[in-house]
Amino acid sequence: MQLLKALLFLLIPVTLALPVDVAAPVDNVLETRQSGPVTCGSNTYTVAQVTGARNSGYNYVKQGGTAGGSTYPHVYNNYEGFSFPVAGPYYEFPLLKSGAYTGGSPGADRVIFNKSGQRAGEITHTGASGNNFVGCSRTS
Ligand SMILES: *[C@@H]1O[C@H](CO)[C@@H](O)[C@H](O)[C@H]1NC(C)=O
């Protein structure tokens, strides 16, 4: 019994001192893929809504058109300097609460993706000055 106590006394601090961030690279991958809802200003979007907007925008890039006589999707130059997790060039496409954007008013919120359709992030005019963008809740 004394020996067991002594062993525990020696082992517990060693166990507690082991590195705990072994899973960090996995977390980063999940973050790139968007692991939960996104809030832009007062609008909250599900993963499915954001993914839908991104797929819709990327389809236009692949097929070489724009939505309903609008200019979207178009190249986004990232003048704001967001640190997106994927390489550019980037495209922006409106992110709506009411389904896929098909032209008309784009609203304030956007999805950003690269030339292969990879998620870069979500940005919004809400809370930004002039025509600038700020990051939504999962984009900085
Ligand atoms: C999009 O981003 C991914 C991840 O960084 C990268 O592998 C891919 O080459 C990028 N696409 C283009 C066309 O740059």
PDB file of all heavy atoms in Angstrom, residues 2 4 6 10 29 38 43 45 50 57 64 66-67 76-77 79 83 86 99-100 106 110 112 117-118 121 127 134:
ATOM      1  N   GLN A   2       1.878   1.194   0.863  1.00  0.00           N
ATOM      2  CA  GLN A   2       2.797   2.329   0.892  1.00  0.00           C
ATOM      3  C   GLN A   2       3.481   2.510  -0.459  1.00  0.00           C
ATOM      4  O   GLN A   2       3.612   3.640  -0.959  1.00  0.00           O
ATOM      5  CB  GLN A   2       3.872   2.123   1.986  1.00  0.00           C
ATOM      6  CG  GLN A   2       3.384   2.369   3.379  1.00  0.00           C
ATOM      7  CD  GLN A   2       2.863   3.784   3.565  1.00  0.00           C
ATOM      8  OE1 GLN A   2       1.662   4.012   3.655  1.00  0.00           O
ATOM      9  NE2 GLN A   2       3.765   4.753   3.598  1.00  0.00           N
ATOM     10  N   LEU A   4       2.292   1.609  -3.433  1.00  0.00           N
ATOM     11  CA  LEU A   4       1.317   2.140  -4.393  1.00  0.00           C
ATOM     12  C   LEU A   4       1.176   3.645  -4.246  1.00  0.00           C
ATOM     13  O   LEU A   4       1.202   4.392  -5.225  1.00  0.00           O
ATOM     14  CB  LEU A   4      -0.027   1.445  -4.161  1.00  0.00           C
ATOM     15  CG  LEU A   4      -1.108   1.796  -5.175  1.00  0.00           C
ATOM     16  CD1 LEU A   4      -0.683   1.372  -6.574  1.00  0.00           C
ATOM     17  CD2 LEU A   4      -2.419   1.131  -4.794  1.00  0.00           C
ATOM     18  N   ALA A   6       3.302   5.690  -3.050  1.00  0.00           N
ATOM     19  CA  ALA A   6       4.528   6.328  -3.516  1.00  0.00           C
ATOM     20  C   ALA A   6       4.563   6.406  -5.034  1.00  0.00           C
ATOM     21  O   ALA A   6       4.943   7.427  -5.615  1.00  0.00           O
ATOM     22  CB  ALA A   6       5.741   5.556  -2.997  1.00  0.00           C
ATOM     23  N   LEU A  10       4.451   9.781  -7.480  1.00  0.00           N
ATOM     24  CA  LEU A  10       5.471  10.078  -8.490  1.00  0.00           C
ATOM     25  C   LEU A  10       4.863  10.247  -9.888  1.00  0.00           C
ATOM     26  O   LEU A  10       5.328  11.055 -10.679  1.00  0.00           O
ATOM     27  CB  LEU A  10       6.512   8.951  -8.535  1.00  0.00           C
ATOM     28  CG  LEU A  10       7.482   8.928  -7.355  1.00  0.00           C
ATOM     29  CD1 LEU A  10       8.341   7.668  -7.409  1.00  0.00           C
ATOM     30  CD2 LEU A  10       8.371  10.176  -7.377  1.00  0.00           C
ATOM     31  N   VAL A  29      -7.977  22.115 -38.844  1.00  0.00           N
ATOM     32  CA  VAL A  29      -8.671  21.626 -40.033  1.00  0.00           C
ATOM     33  C   VAL A  29     -10.161  21.881 -39.897  1.00  0.00           C
ATOM     34  O   VAL A  29     -10.807  22.377 -40.813  1.00  0.00           O
ATOM     35  CB  VAL A  29      -8.387  20.125 -40.251  1.00  0.00           C
ATOM     36  CG1 VAL A  29      -9.310  19.560 -41.312  1.00  0.00           C
ATOM     37  CG2 VAL A  29      -6.942  19.933 -40.651  1.00  0.00           C
ATOM     38  N   VAL A  38     -22.263  30.823 -38.053  1.00  0.00           N
ATOM     39  CA  VAL A  38     -21.494  32.050 -38.246  1.00  0.00           C
ATOM     40  C   VAL A  38     -22.425  33.241 -38.033  1.00  0.00           C
ATOM     41  O   VAL A  38     -23.537  33.249 -38.561  1.00  0.00           O
ATOM     42  CB  VAL A  38     -20.922  32.098 -39.679  1.00  0.00           C
ATOM     43  CG1 VAL A  38     -20.397  33.488 -40.012  1.00  0.00           C
ATOM     44  CG2 VAL A  38     -19.823  31.074 -39.839  1.00  0.00           C
ATOM     45  N   ASN A  43     -27.115  38.773 -38.074  1.00  0.00           N
ATOM     46  CA  ASN A  43     -27.561  37.583 -38.807  1.00  0.00           C
ATOM     47  C   ASN A  43     -26.719  36.374 -38.415  1.00  0.00           C
ATOM     48  O   ASN A  43     -25.494  36.438 -38.464  1.00  0.00           O
ATOM     49  CB  ASN A  43     -27.405  37.782 -40.323  1.00  0.00           C
ATOM     50  CG  ASN A  43     -28.314  38.865 -40.852  1.00  0.00           C
ATOM     51  OD1 ASN A  43     -29.384  39.106 -40.314  1.00  0.00           O
ATOM     52  ND2 ASN A  43     -27.881  39.524 -41.921  1.00  0.00           N
ATOM     53  N   TYR A  45     -25.966  32.372 -39.399  1.00  0.00           N
ATOM     54  CA  TYR A  45     -26.116  31.402 -40.488  1.00  0.00           C
ATOM     55  C   TYR A  45     -25.650  30.028 -40.040  1.00  0.00           C
ATOM     56  O   TYR A  45     -24.605  29.908 -39.405  1.00  0.00           O
ATOM     57  CB  TYR A  45     -25.271  31.828 -41.693  1.00  0.00           C
ATOM     58  CG  TYR A  45     -25.651  33.171 -42.266  1.00  0.00           C
ATOM     59  CD1 TYR A  45     -24.988  34.324 -41.869  1.00  0.00           C
ATOM     60  CD2 TYR A  45     -26.676  33.281 -43.196  1.00  0.00           C
ATOM     61  CE1 TYR A  45     -25.337  35.559 -42.395  1.00  0.00           C
ATOM     62  CE2 TYR A  45     -27.032  34.506 -43.725  1.00  0.00           C
ATOM     63  CZ  TYR A  45     -26.364  35.647 -43.328  1.00  0.00           C
ATOM     64  OH  TYR A  45     -26.717  36.861 -43.839  1.00  0.00           O
ATOM     65  N   VAL A  50     -24.173  28.619 -45.067  1.00  0.00           N
ATOM     66  CA  VAL A  50     -22.894  29.159 -45.545  1.00  0.00           C
ATOM     67  C   VAL A  50     -22.330  28.278 -46.659  1.00  0.00           C
ATOM     68  O   VAL A  50     -21.878  28.771 -47.701  1.00  0.00           O
ATOM     69  CB  VAL A  50     -21.884  29.288 -44.375  1.00  0.00           C
ATOM     70  CG1 VAL A  50     -20.527  29.735 -44.880  1.00  0.00           C
ATOM     71  CG2 VAL A  50     -22.414  30.253 -43.330  1.00  0.00           C
ATOM     72  N   GLY A  57     -21.921  30.178 -55.304  1.00  0.00           N
ATOM     73  CA  GLY A  57     -20.960  31.110 -55.889  1.00  0.00           C
ATOM     74  C   GLY A  57     -19.889  30.406 -56.692  1.00  0.00           C
ATOM     75  O   GLY A  57     -19.522  30.832 -57.790  1.00  0.00           O
ATOM     76  N   GLY A  64     -18.366  30.132 -65.373  1.00  0.00           N
ATOM     77  CA  GLY A  64     -18.040  31.387 -66.029  1.00  0.00           C
ATOM     78  C   GLY A  64     -19.189  32.374 -66.157  1.00  0.00           C
ATOM     79  O   GLY A  64     -19.260  33.102 -67.134  1.00  0.00           O
ATOM     80  N   THR A  66     -22.399  34.979 -63.908  1.00  0.00           N
ATOM     81  CA  THR A  66     -22.733  35.681 -62.672  1.00  0.00           C
ATOM     82  C   THR A  66     -24.216  35.480 -62.375  1.00  0.00           C
ATOM     83  O   THR A  66     -24.984  35.097 -63.254  1.00  0.00           O
ATOM     84  CB  THR A  66     -22.427  37.189 -62.772  1.00  0.00           C
ATOM     85  OG1 THR A  66     -23.130  37.727 -63.893  1.00  0.00           O
ATOM     86  CG2 THR A  66     -20.943  37.459 -62.920  1.00  0.00           C
ATOM     87  N   ALA A  67     -24.607  35.775 -61.145  1.00  0.00           N
ATOM     88  CA  ALA A  67     -25.987  35.548 -60.717  1.00  0.00           C
ATOM     89  C   ALA A  67     -26.918  36.645 -61.223  1.00  0.00           C
ATOM     90  O   ALA A  67     -26.735  37.826 -60.895  1.00  0.00           O
ATOM     91  CB  ALA A  67     -26.040  35.473 -59.190  1.00  0.00           C
ATOM     92  N   TYR A  76     -12.339  39.155 -54.958  1.00  0.00           N
ATOM     93  CA  TYR A  76     -12.217  39.917 -53.721  1.00  0.00           C
ATOM     94  C   TYR A  76     -10.726  40.080 -53.416  1.00  0.00           C
ATOM     95  O   TYR A  76     -10.000  39.097 -53.281  1.00  0.00           O
ATOM     96  CB  TYR A  76     -12.939  39.191 -52.573  1.00  0.00           C
ATOM     97  CG  TYR A  76     -12.665  39.815 -51.236  1.00  0.00           C
ATOM     98  CD1 TYR A  76     -13.148  41.087 -50.935  1.00  0.00           C
ATOM     99  CD2 TYR A  76     -11.886  39.160 -50.293  1.00  0.00           C
ATOM    100  CE1 TYR A  76     -12.878  41.685 -49.722  1.00  0.00           C
ATOM    101  CE2 TYR A  76     -11.614  39.739 -49.069  1.00  0.00           C
ATOM    102  CZ  TYR A  76     -12.112  41.008 -48.795  1.00  0.00           C
ATOM    103  OH  TYR A  76     -11.822  41.599 -47.597  1.00  0.00           O
ATOM    104  N   ASN A  77     -10.287  41.321 -53.340  1.00  0.00           N
ATOM    105  CA  ASN A  77      -8.846  41.594 -53.234  1.00  0.00           C
ATOM    106  C   ASN A  77      -8.283  41.595 -51.812  1.00  0.00           C
ATOM    107  O   ASN A  77      -7.088  41.744 -51.633  1.00  0.00           O
ATOM    108  CB  ASN A  77      -8.532  42.931 -53.914  1.00  0.00           C
ATOM    109  CG  ASN A  77      -8.625  42.830 -55.426  1.00  0.00           C
ATOM    110  OD1 ASN A  77      -8.000  41.964 -56.025  1.00  0.00           O
ATOM    111  ND2 ASN A  77      -9.441  43.680 -56.048  1.00  0.00           N
ATOM    112  N   TYR A  79      -8.317  43.810 -49.405  1.00  0.00           N
ATOM    113  CA  TYR A  79      -7.636  45.036 -48.976  1.00  0.00           C
ATOM    114  C   TYR A  79      -7.677  45.181 -47.454  1.00  0.00           C
ATOM    115  O   TYR A  79      -6.827  45.862 -46.871  1.00  0.00           O
ATOM    116  CB  TYR A  79      -8.294  46.264 -49.623  1.00  0.00           C
ATOM    117  CG  TYR A  79      -8.104  46.335 -51.115  1.00  0.00           C
ATOM    118  CD1 TYR A  79      -9.197  46.546 -51.970  1.00  0.00           C
ATOM    119  CD2 TYR A  79      -6.841  46.196 -51.696  1.00  0.00           C
ATOM    120  CE1 TYR A  79      -9.026  46.616 -53.346  1.00  0.00           C
ATOM    121  CE2 TYR A  79      -6.667  46.259 -53.061  1.00  0.00           C
ATOM    122  CZ  TYR A  79      -7.763  46.465 -53.884  1.00  0.00           C
ATOM    123  OH  TYR A  79      -7.602  46.522 -55.231  1.00  0.00           O
ATOM    124  N   SER A  83      -6.692  37.236 -42.435  1.00  0.00           N
ATOM    125  CA  SER A  83      -5.739  36.118 -42.530  1.00  0.00           C
ATOM    126  C   SER A  83      -6.511  34.837 -42.826  1.00  0.00           C
ATOM    127  O   SER A  83      -6.741  34.008 -41.951  1.00  0.00           O
ATOM    128  CB  SER A  83      -4.912  35.990 -41.255  1.00  0.00           C
ATOM    129  OG  SER A  83      -5.720  36.117 -40.116  1.00  0.00           O
ATOM    130  N   VAL A  86      -6.816  29.701 -46.427  1.00  0.00           N
ATOM    131  CA  VAL A  86      -6.467  29.103 -47.724  1.00  0.00           C
ATOM    132  C   VAL A  86      -5.863  30.171 -48.634  1.00  0.00           C
ATOM    133  O   VAL A  86      -6.028  31.364 -48.403  1.00  0.00           O
ATOM    134  CB  VAL A  86      -7.687  28.455 -48.432  1.00  0.00           C
ATOM    135  CG1 VAL A  86      -8.277  27.346 -47.574  1.00  0.00           C
ATOM    136  CG2 VAL A  86      -8.752  29.491 -48.762  1.00  0.00           C
ATOM    137  N   GLY A  99     -31.881  31.719 -48.696  1.00  0.00           N
ATOM    138  CA  GLY A  99     -31.505  30.838 -49.793  1.00  0.00           C
ATOM    139  C   GLY A  99     -30.458  31.442 -50.696  1.00  0.00           C
ATOM    140  O   GLY A  99     -29.850  32.460 -50.374  1.00  0.00           O
ATOM    141  N   ALA A 100     -30.236  30.808 -51.856  1.00  0.00           N
ATOM    142  CA  ALA A 100     -29.149  31.218 -52.748  1.00  0.00           C
ATOM    143  C   ALA A 100     -29.414  32.584 -53.373  1.00  0.00           C
ATOM    144  O   ALA A 100     -30.542  32.896 -53.760  1.00  0.00           O
ATOM    145  CB  ALA A 100     -28.954  30.169 -53.839  1.00  0.00           C
ATOM    146  N   PRO A 106     -27.531  42.592 -52.815  1.00  0.00           N
ATOM    147  CA  PRO A 106     -26.696  41.536 -52.223  1.00  0.00           C
ATOM    148  C   PRO A 106     -26.725  41.517 -50.703  1.00  0.00           C
ATOM    149  O   PRO A 106     -26.170  40.595 -50.099  1.00  0.00           O
ATOM    150  CB  PRO A 106     -25.294  41.890 -52.733  1.00  0.00           C
ATOM    151  CG  PRO A 106     -25.331  43.371 -52.889  1.00  0.00           C
ATOM    152  CD  PRO A 106     -26.744  43.727 -53.294  1.00  0.00           C
ATOM    153  N   ARG A 110     -21.191  38.328 -46.906  1.00  0.00           N
ATOM    154  CA  ARG A 110     -20.549  37.637 -48.031  1.00  0.00           C
ATOM    155  C   ARG A 110     -19.847  36.366 -47.573  1.00  0.00           C
ATOM    156  O   ARG A 110     -19.291  36.332 -46.472  1.00  0.00           O
ATOM    157  CB  ARG A 110     -19.457  38.524 -48.668  1.00  0.00           C
ATOM    158  CG  ARG A 110     -19.893  39.884 -49.148  1.00  0.00           C
ATOM    159  CD  ARG A 110     -20.662  39.825 -50.455  1.00  0.00           C
ATOM    160  NE  ARG A 110     -20.960  41.171 -50.916  1.00  0.00           N
ATOM    161  CZ  ARG A 110     -22.020  41.870 -50.513  1.00  0.00           C
ATOM    162  NH1 ARG A 110     -22.883  41.343 -49.662  1.00  0.00           N
ATOM    163  NH2 ARG A 110     -22.223  43.095 -50.969  1.00  0.00           N
ATOM    164  N   ILE A 112     -16.515  34.114 -48.701  1.00  0.00           N
ATOM    165  CA  ILE A 112     -15.275  34.260 -49.463  1.00  0.00           C
ATOM    166  C   ILE A 112     -14.683  32.866 -49.666  1.00  0.00           C
ATOM    167  O   ILE A 112     -14.583  32.091 -48.716  1.00  0.00           O
ATOM    168  CB  ILE A 112     -14.243  35.147 -48.722  1.00  0.00           C
ATOM    169  CG1 ILE A 112     -14.853  36.496 -48.324  1.00  0.00           C
ATOM    170  CG2 ILE A 112     -12.987  35.349 -49.583  1.00  0.00           C
ATOM    171  CD1 ILE A 112     -15.252  37.391 -49.465  1.00  0.00           C
ATOM    172  N   GLY A 117     -12.799  26.734 -54.812  1.00  0.00           N
ATOM    173  CA  GLY A 117     -14.024  26.635 -54.029  1.00  0.00           C
ATOM    174  C   GLY A 117     -13.798  26.375 -52.557  1.00  0.00           C
ATOM    175  O   GLY A 117     -14.739  26.118 -51.814  1.00  0.00           O
ATOM    176  N   GLN A 118     -12.551  26.450 -52.089  1.00  0.00           N
ATOM    177  CA  GLN A 118     -12.246  26.236 -50.673  1.00  0.00           C
ATOM    178  C   GLN A 118     -12.694  27.436 -49.848  1.00  0.00           C
ATOM    179  O   GLN A 118     -12.468  28.578 -50.235  1.00  0.00           O
ATOM    180  CB  GLN A 118     -10.737  26.060 -50.486  1.00  0.00           C
ATOM    181  CG  GLN A 118     -10.162  24.885 -51.227  1.00  0.00           C
ATOM    182  CD  GLN A 118      -9.983  23.680 -50.338  1.00  0.00           C
ATOM    183  OE1 GLN A 118     -10.102  23.777 -49.123  1.00  0.00           O
ATOM    184  NE2 GLN A 118      -9.715  22.542 -50.929  1.00  0.00           N
ATOM    185  N   GLY A 121     -13.610  32.306 -45.671  1.00  0.00           N
ATOM    186  CA  GLY A 121     -14.261  32.883 -44.502  1.00  0.00           C
ATOM    187  C   GLY A 121     -15.544  33.584 -44.875  1.00  0.00           C
ATOM    188  O   GLY A 121     -16.048  33.439 -45.996  1.00  0.00           O
ATOM    189  N   GLY A 127     -21.157  47.049 -39.452  1.00  0.00           N
ATOM    190  CA  GLY A 127     -20.159  47.403 -38.455  1.00  0.00           C
ATOM    191  C   GLY A 127     -18.855  47.893 -39.058  1.00  0.00           C
ATOM    192  O   GLY A 127     -17.929  48.225 -38.327  1.00  0.00           O
ATOM    193  N   VAL A 134     -15.827  43.851 -42.317  1.00  0.00           N
ATOM    194  CA  VAL A 134     -15.241  43.281 -41.108  1.00  0.00           C
ATOM    195  C   VAL A 134     -15.530  41.785 -41.140  1.00  0.00           C
ATOM    196  O   VAL A 134     -16.426  41.334 -41.865  1.00  0.00           O
ATOM    197  CB  VAL A 134     -15.805  43.917 -39.809  1.00  0.00           C
ATOM    198  CG1 VAL A 134     -15.409  45.369 -39.708  1.00  0.00           C
ATOM    199  CG2 VAL A 134     -17.321  43.759 -39.731  1.00  0.00           C
TER     200      VAL A 134
END
